[in-house]
Every structure is written in structure tokens, then in C-alpha cells.
Amino acid sequence: MQMSRKIINKLAPVLCLGLAAIAMAGCSSEENAKGSTKSAETTEPLSHLSYWKEMHKDAAAIMKSYGEITAIKEIEKNTGVTIDYQHPAQGQAGEQFNLMMASKSLPDVVEYSWNNYPGGAQKAIQDGKIIPLNDYLDDAPNFKKLLDENPEWRRQASTDNGDIIGFPFIRPVRKLQTHDGPVIRKDWLDKLGLPIPKTIDEWYTVLKAFKEQDPNGNGKADEIPIMIGAGELAFTGVFGIPNGFYHEGNTVKYGPVQPEYKEYLTTMNRWYNEGLLDKDFAANDSKMYDAKMTGNQVGAAVMAVGGGLGRFMDLMESKEPQFKLAATPYPTLKSGDKPIFGQMDNQIVGIFTAITGSNKHVKETVKFLDYFYSEEGRMIMNFGKEGVSYTMENGYPKYTDSVMNNPDGLPLAQSLKQHVLSADAGPFLQDVRYMEQYAARPEQQEALTVWAEPSNEKRMPPITIAREDNSRYASIMNDVDTYKNEMIVKFIMGAESLNKFDEYVATLKSMGLDDAIKMQQAGLERYNNR
């Protein structure tokens, strides 16, 4: 794909071919922390960019560097900038990030969940580790336009002080923010003449039928009507609460101590006692989960659209031809009610490609990364190279057969990773047309629509805890989460009577829960004032 003359003219001053590699040593973080957060920039054009990024496990299985990806090669060709990727070892990103932050010289850019920096992204800025983008937005017209047109995106991309952390990965539409939800064996429902359940009472009726009427037809009472974990949002949400913090009218509350949570636990305890809930619900690992699903035992579960619903239908296609899964709406108490809580990612995912204090070409790097948000950059990042990984059909970018049906037998998730970052993360907008092909089964597309129905108006936005409260908050919530999780399992299994629910609430409060709620409240107020 050739660049337009307009884009070339814009990028020409900084994106030049054939220049010598840039020296990596920059002004130290300590120097930046003492004064301005701007690095000591040079006037040399940008030709190489060192880029620290964790590899997705599907990518790590088939390549050594993201520099091998079709989209990145195309970006480099179009801009004249070579990206020198630095990838932490699999499973060691957090540890290696912390070690890297202790160094005085950092890569030019670091892609990470910067609010996980000790003290959060604001502290990283104060320490001179990263440079906020506020003063450079005029050099990023594509990105600036997105923030101007979407104030909530700007809020999610900023610290409480209003500093823009870096270039984010953006999921612009609801369909891209949803990937998990309740799923049921549609063939079992059809066999028993039952409709898809919508209310909690309808779920009980269906699960009882799954337990008692041998829907898998093997003559054994081996069905597991539903397999979900303790505190599953899809079912706590029935009672109007999540398994954590939420807000009502901007007042922060904690779901697991509300009276409605006792109603949830009472329901789950009944299901467990009647053999409707998987007896191993508190102990299932991925192997057990897969074995039960592919063993034709499970009637319902909560799963992902790709790694769950699509994967199991693929696995069972030849083994059990009648096997069919269908998404169900998030259940409610009453028929006709709209679900309040459902799984939903933020539009700004929280992973930012931030420019570090060691970067000597800040303005040029800003201009380069802004290209990813241009129409051409977005197409490349989501679909790769035209004629190689996609073709245009009636104005629609369609992945080629070599991607969708990999000749080497790679699963689709890995096949895509060879060409694009649409299923990964990075400084660009994810395109919904990617999801329309990745989740290509009609059942998957239906799932994404059905699971997008909850209003989520009580859901907490991506707040941050004040730096001075971080240690205390972490200590409180470590104790709270440990005790809460233990008690939920005991209440559901009947090891503890639900008559002790008030004692359980009092114990959580004695651990400092009210203080944690106040810290969350303060964070929500700061977020709303960004």
C-alpha cells in the first residue's frame, strides 16, 4: 500500500530512510525528576526506536520478535523508522519491568499498564520515567482529534492531575469491549423443549431439567447443569451488585457486604445442595474445565467468545455433531428487566505506549506513534498488508484464506498474530471488522450482541488510589479478598451457615473495608474531576 502524498509531506521532516541508528543513552530519570519531565532532545531525525513490549503468549509460540509481524514491517516501510523490540521473558513482564525501571537509561518507549507502576502513572511522571503528552498534542493531530471528540477517552488516558500518560490501545465500540458471558447447551434445551432462560427462576427450571432428564442421553446421571466460579458476575449481577466495588449516584459501595449479596449466596447454596452447581466449582483448573466441557457433561458456563464458545464448538464438531452452544442474556430477577452488570472492558484498556525520559527524540516519536492512529495506520495494525493478509471486497477488509485457514495448521489466534496486532494491544484503535471475522461463527456474533445488553451504569470507572494510600489500601484489600473468597465458598457449600452473614460483614469491616471504600470514593471524585 502506498502512502498518500499528504501523509508523506507531514512525516517527511522526521521519518527519513537510511539514517544511522540513534544512540540509546538519554538523560537519566533522576535528572528528569529534579526538573522538567522533558528529555534532552536532539535535532536528529528518527530512524530507530527501541520499544519494550510484552509478547502475547500466542505470538511468543510462533515468533521471536514483533518485528516479524506483517503489519509492523509495513509500518516500518511506510515511515522509514525501524522498531527495535525488547520483549521480557514470558511470565516475567512485571518483574522485568521493575528491574528496568531501576535503570537510569530506558528504552525509547515502554508499553505497559502504567498505573501498575509503584505509585501509579502519576508517580512515574514525577520520577521522570515517562513524559506526559499534553505539550505534544499538536504534533499528534490524529490522536488529538480522537481525544477532542471523545472526552471520556481523554479522561481514561489521563492521571488524576490531567497528565496524558501515553498512546493507548482503544476499543471504540461496545462489541469490542465484551468478550465473556453466560453460555448454554442449546441442543440440550431443544431436546427438552425449553427456551433460553432469562430470569433466575427460569435458570433454576432449566438446570433442574438438565440434572433430572438425561439431556446428554447416556443413561447416566452425570450431567453438570452449570459450571461457574464463586462470585461470578453474571449471577451476582442478577441481584444488582458485582463481586467488588460499584457506585450508586457516585457513592461507592462494596457488593459482597450488601443484603443483595446474601440473596445471591442463598441462591447458589440452594443450587449446590440440589446438585445443579458443579461440586468442584471452587477447585476447577483449566484442564478440569476443558475435560468436563468436552466430556459432554456441562449444561451451562460463563466463557469467552473465542477461547470458549468458538473453541469448544470447533473441538466438538466431529466428536458430537449435535453439540451446540448459545449465548444467553445476563439473567435478571424479573422478566423484562434490563441487566445492570455484565462483563465490559474500558474503551481505553489501560495499556499505554509511553515515551520515556531517556528518549532523545520526543517530538519525532510523538509524530511517529501518531501515524498508528491515522486511517492508513489503523488499517495496517488491524489488517496488515493488502494482498497478503487481507483483500478489499466491496469496501470491506477481508482476511485472506491463508490467515483464516492457516496452511501450517495454526489456530486462528496464532495465525492472526503473524500479520496483525488487532487481537493484541498497541497504540491504535481496534477495528470491529476484525472481531466480525475472528468470531466468525453466527453463535459468536450473536453472543457479542447479547452480552452487550447490560447497562453497566453502576460500574466503577478506571480510578486510581491516591499514592499516599496505596500501601494501606493494598494491605486492607489483601486481607478482605482472602477472607471474602474463603467465606463465599463456605457459604455456598454450606460449611458456614448464612445466618452468619452479618458476622462476615462485621469481620470485613474490622479489616478496614470502610477505609478502602473511602479511598475508592476519593478516587472516583478525582476521576470525575479530570
Side-chain angles (χ1 to χ4, degrees):
M1 183 188 303
Q2 297 298 316
M3 290 186 69
S4 69
R5 185 174 300 278
K6 184 178 180 182
I7 293 174
I8 292 173
N9 288 339
K10 282 185 178 180
L11 297 177
V14 294
L15 307 178
C16 300
L17 290 163
L19 297 173
I22 299 167
M24 290 301 298
C27 63
S28 74
S29 298
E30 293 175 341
E31 291 168 345
N32 284 325
K34 293 176 183 177
S36 168
T37 55
K38 290 187 178 182
S39 62
E41 297 182 49
T42 71
T43 57
E44 297 176 29
L46 183 66
S47 61
H48 285 73
L49 189 79
S50 52
Y51 192 130
W52 192 93
K53 175 182 172 72
E54 182 180 10
M55 289 190 87
H56 190 283
K57 62 180 182 180
D58 285 330
I62 57 174
M63 65 182 69
K64 293 182 178 179
S65 168
Y66 273 26
E68 300 173 37
I69 296 174
T70 301
I72 297 304
K73 292 178 181 178
E74 195 72 356
I75 291 282
E76 291 177 333
K77 184 187 77 174
N78 286 356
T79 62
V81 176
T82 299
I83 302 176
D84 300 321
Y85 280 104
Q86 300 175 12
H87 301 301
Q90 282 290 294
Q92 298 180 28
E95 178 185 344
Q96 293 191 24
F97 173 84
N98 291 333
L99 289 172
M100 178 174 63
M101 287 299 109
S103 171
K104 292 183 178 180
S105 182
L106 303 175
D108 293 321
V109 296
V110 172
E111 184 180 310
Y112 196 66
S113 299
W114 278 95
N115 281 321
N116 290 334
Y117 180 89
Q122 191 67 61
K123 184 63 164 60
I125 291 170
Q126 293 171 356
D127 291 346
K129 299 297 182 183
I130 58 176
I131 298 169
L133 299 180
N134 304 57
D135 294 340
Y136 295 94
L137 288 180
D138 287 343
D139 298 304
N142 296 302
F143 182 52
K144 182 177 185 296
K145 184 172 185 288
L146 293 174
L147 297 186
D148 290 345
E149 292 176 351
N150 302 275
E152 186 61 23
W153 293 4
R154 182 173 187 132
R155 191 179 305 203
Q156 292 184 16
S158 302
T159 66
D160 288 334
N161 290 2
D163 288 329
I164 299 172
I165 300 166
F167 291 96
F169 179 55
I170 305 175
R171 290 175 172 158
V173 298
R174 182 73 173 87
K175 206 170 188 179
L176 290 170
Q177 296 169 259
T178 303
H179 47 75
D180 286 350
V183 168
I184 201 160
R185 282 291 295 271
K186 182 65 166 60
D187 55 312
W188 287 13
L189 288 177
D190 293 343
K191 183 177 181 179
L192 303 179
L194 295 168
I196 285 179
K198 295 182 179 179
T199 68
I200 196 68
D201 287 341
E202 290 171 358
W203 269 93
Y204 177 74
T205 298
V206 165
L207 297 179
K208 284 283 284 184
F210 283 177
K211 176 70 176 174
E212 298 169 355
Q213 298 182 34
D214 192 28
N216 67 9
N218 65 0
K220 302 176 183 178
D222 62 348
E223 286 85 358
I224 300 169
I226 189 166
M227 184 167 58
I228 54 174
E232 170 54 55
L233 176 67
F235 289 90
T236 65
V238 172
F239 303 92
I241 48 168
N243 191 32
F245 295 100
Y246 67 107
H247 71 89
E248 284 186 341
N250 287 322
T251 297
V252 174
K253 296 184 176 183
Y254 187 64
V257 298
Q258 303 303 317
E260 294 87 349
Y261 207 82
K262 186 177 180 181
E263 294 180 49
Y264 158 74
L265 291 171
T266 301
T267 299
M268 292 298 110
N269 173 249
R270 179 187 182 189
W271 287 11
Y272 182 82
N273 287 338
E274 295 187 20
L276 309 183
L277 177 63
D278 181 20
K279 62 181 176 61
D280 300 319
F281 76 93
N284 280 324
D285 58 21
S286 59
K287 288 184 178 180
M288 291 172 67
Y289 184 93
D290 283 4
K292 291 173 182 179
M293 283 298 305
T294 57
N296 200 26
Q297 291 179 274
V298 179
V302 173
M303 61 181 65
V305 68
L309 192 156
R311 182 167 68 94
F312 287 124
M313 288 190 74
D314 288 345
L315 288 172
M316 299 297 284
E317 207 157 30
S318 58
K319 183 178 179 182
E320 296 282 346
Q322 78 280 2
F323 182 97
K324 187 174 183 181
L325 297 174
T328 73
Y330 277 81
T332 56
L333 273 178
K334 299 176 182 177
S335 180
D337 284 356
K338 184 178 179 66
I340 297 172
F341 287 102
Q343 183 273 320
M344 184 177 80
D345 289 336
N346 295 312
Q347 290 180 303
I348 302 292
V349 176
I351 299 172
F352 296 90
T353 301
I355 298 176
T356 72
S358 294
N359 190 309
K360 287 190 173 184
H361 299 77
V362 177
K363 183 178 288 191
E364 292 80 3
T365 300
V366 167
K367 291 181 178 180
F368 169 66
L369 292 173
D370 184 60
Y371 172 66
F372 288 65
Y373 296 94
S374 69
E375 283 297 325
E376 188 169 73
R378 292 185 210 177
M379 284 295 295
I380 293 171
M381 293 298 282
N382 281 285
F383 301 104
K385 182 176 182 179
E386 187 171 4
V388 175
S389 52
Y390 79 98
T391 56
M392 293 299 293
E393 296 185 11
N394 298 318
Y396 189 97
K398 188 173 181 181
Y399 292 121
T400 59
D401 188 60
S402 64
V403 176
M404 299 300 293
N405 299 288
N406 186 271
D408 297 324
L410 294 178
L412 180 56
Q414 292 183 4
S415 182
L416 277 169
K417 290 289 188 298
Q418 291 182 316
H419 300 283
V420 298
L421 283 89
S422 47
D424 199 313
F428 67 99
L429 272 80
Q430 195 176 42
D431 195 305
V432 72
R433 295 171 295 183
Y434 136 75
M435 183 58 77
E436 290 168 354
Q437 296 173 77
Y438 175 67
R441 285 180 176 271
E443 295 88 353
Q444 291 174 296
Q445 288 301 306
E446 175 69 12
L448 294 174
T449 300
V450 169
W451 295 340
E453 289 176 359
S455 61
N456 286 294
E457 75 263 18
K458 296 182 180 182
R459 179 176 175 270
M460 286 293 286
I463 68 153
T464 55
I465 301 299
R467 182 161 60 92
E468 61 271 19
D469 294 330
N470 263 342
S471 178
R472 167 79 174 141
Y473 179 82
S475 176
I476 291 172
M477 292 312 298
N478 181 62
D479 292 342
V480 163
D481 286 339
T482 300
Y483 177 70
K484 176 200 72 173
N485 292 337
E486 290 175 355
M487 290 302 293
I488 288 174
V489 172
K490 289 180 179 180
F491 282 139
I492 292 175
M493 296 178 70
E496 286 283 0
S497 169
L498 278 160
N499 292 331
K500 293 187 176 181
F501 185 79
D502 290 344
E503 291 180 29
Y504 148 81
V505 171
T507 301
L508 288 175
K509 289 180 179 291
S510 74
M511 292 175 172
L513 177 61
D514 287 340
D515 287 342
I517 292 173
K518 289 177 182 177
M519 295 172 195
Q520 284 271 338
Q521 183 69 49
L524 178 62
E525 291 168 5
R526 289 193 303 273
Y527 179 86
N528 289 335
N529 289 326
R530 287 181 186 176

